Amino acid sequence: MNTVETNVASFPVARLRRLRMTETLRGMVRETHLSPDDLIYPLFVVPGSNVKKEVSSMPGVYQMSVDQIVRECADVHALGIPAVIFFGIPEEKDEVGSGAYDTHGVVQEALRAVKKEVPDLFLITDVCLCEYTSHGHCGIVRGNEIVNDESVELLAREALSHAEAGADMVAPSDMFDGRVGAIRRALDEHDFRNIPIMSYAAKYASGFYGPFREAAESTPKFGDRRSHQMDPANSDEAIREVAQDIAEGADIVMVKPALPYLDVLYRVKQQFGMPTAAYNVSGEYAMVKAAARLGWIDEERVMMEMLTGIKRAGADLILTYFAKAAAGLLRRKR
Ligand code: PBG
């Protein structure tokens, strides 16, 4: 920072506007470049066939059955987006989230089908129980407590079952203690040593997940997620969370949501220098869509500004519902 300030000549010799006069020159000195390679597209898998149901609070985002997911994945791949992340909504939910670690669960079936039809697409799975439990919590509930250690065992089972079905990477999103280590051990014991873990390392208890919970049908029936997700007021604690996940074997660490936590993202990237992901979540998407529909903002412009800002703050990877739109735009601009 200091070097930048001391090297700046003063006005009128220095005119910072000089380099802003043409688009060519602005392009030449641009510091941050967004690319389709940076993007990961989230997909919601539901049972059945020929199902493609729009999520009302997320225009352009659909719950899809496996056959439709395969078609969608072919499109995503054709746009130059390297990876998708799957979320599953099972036929039936129960207290222990059995659908999450069922060999024939929706995500497992999607993995097998997409691996066959679109082999070059990189397949990530969200590892959590909230979409699979009848109470909508991320783990086992006893009385008023969402218990940690028993839940972690089930998460490890879920991750293993995803790897067996063809997942290229698993992404635990629960925020329980010790889950990255447990998942690493389970994968290693079963010869999945080369399957990386992208941990939702600093995930906040956020109001911005509202539309996702409609998409994933995972709103908790009682209580909330504040006993495991982080307090929005904290950032030193995020550093401890990330450090712990790295120590347990996380290969990529994530900060989530993105926009209200760009300071956390910046700190995490600066401090650890790890491959870092940011999740541009459902509520961030929905706000842009809603305001654009009302004609209050320019959707494409705001989308690109948001994604560029997230990358500038330190994200190497961005999980975003805008992935297809942004990749399409970036291709047309080239
Ligand atoms: C949990 C999970 C959530 C999201 C991703 N994984 C929801 C939650 O913690 O309640 C939210 C993503 C979004 O809002 O886009 N499986």
Side-chain angles (χ1 to χ4, degrees), residues 47-103:
S49 66
N50 224 0
V51 182
K52 185 168 179 181
K53 186 174 162 230
E54 192 165 36
V55 179
S56 64
S57 52
M58 301 176 74
V61 173
Y62 301 84
Q63 294 181 329
M64 282 176 273
S65 50
V66 170
D67 53 308
Q68 298 294 311
I69 288 281
V70 170
R71 292 174 54 176
E72 184 75 0
C73 283
D75 285 354
V76 169
H77 181 61
L79 280 165
I81 299 165
V84 294
I85 180 165
F86 288 136
F87 295 91
I89 298 102
E91 190 93 59
E92 274 173 45
K93 306 193 183 210
D94 61 26
E95 300 253 296
V96 292
S98 308
Y101 35 90
D102 176 353
T103 317

Side-chain angles (χ1 to χ4, degrees), residues 87 126 128 130-131 173 200 203 208-209 212-213 225 229 256 279 281-282 321:
F87 295 91
D126 181 84
C128 193
C130 67
E131 299 114 61
S173 66
Y200 289 67
K203 175 174 174 180
F208 286 93
Y209 307 150
F212 172 93
R213 291 182 188 170
R225 308 215 201 288
Q229 298 181 349
K256 178 183 171 194
Y279 202 137
V281 301
S282 58
Y321 304 97

